[in-house]
Amino acid sequence: MLRNPDVSRARKIIVAQAIATLLIALASSPFGIWTGFVALLGGATATVANALFAFWVFGRYRAGEPGRLTGQIYGGEFLKLGFIVAAFAIAVVWLQPFRPLAFFGSFFLVHVVPPILASRSDG
């Protein structure tokens, strides 16, 4: 069975993001359980958004239809951004007291660091 290397790379990045989310939440916990929880939700937002994108693009990809790939990428990006906007809005409104540094800091770290590390490890 042939495996798409991009699917494998996406899976590794999502797993790395999930692990980073848990580590950041644990590291934030000494500042309070609520702060750790808010950090967990910030990291989870980044992880779930990227998982939605990967599923949308690679879950429906067929090698016999390469022309559809561009549309799938755009659709996946819109889905991802829509999810992020909705999650941010819900977090700001419902997570009271809101801890913006924990939420957005965790989101940023989880969204940026694992893909950078993955690209460096690929050579």
Side-chain angles (χ1 to χ4, degrees):
M1 179 172 151
L2 294 174
R3 301 203 66 191
N4 185 338
D6 292 330
V7 172
S8 179
R9 180 179 297 160
R11 186 175 291 127
K12 286 178 186 176
I13 290 172
I14 292 166
V15 168
Q17 287 178 315
I19 292 168
T21 295
L22 294 174
L23 292 175
I24 292 167
L26 286 173
S28 301
S29 293
F31 299 101
I33 296 297
W34 183 252
T35 302
F37 178 69
V38 171
L40 178 73
L41 292 178
T45 298
T47 303
V48 170
N50 286 324
L52 284 171
F53 174 82
F55 177 76
W56 186 267
V57 172
F58 298 117
R60 300 166 26 149
Y61 177 70
R62 301 291 174 257
E65 301 172 339
R68 287 186 54 200
L69 184 58
T70 302
Q72 286 176 231
I73 290 172
Y74 281 121
E77 203 55 46
F78 282 122
L79 177 66
K80 177 175 138 178
L81 290 174
F83 175 81
I84 291 170
V85 167
F88 281 8
I90 289 168
V92 169
V93 171
W94 285 351
L95 293 177
Q96 298 301 325
F98 186 61
R99 304 278 193 260
L101 182 60
F103 185 84
F104 294 118
S106 177
F107 174 86
F108 178 78
L109 288 173
V110 169
H111 192 71
V112 172
V113 173
I116 289 173
L117 294 176
S119 69
R120 287 188 179 193
S121 70
D122 288 341

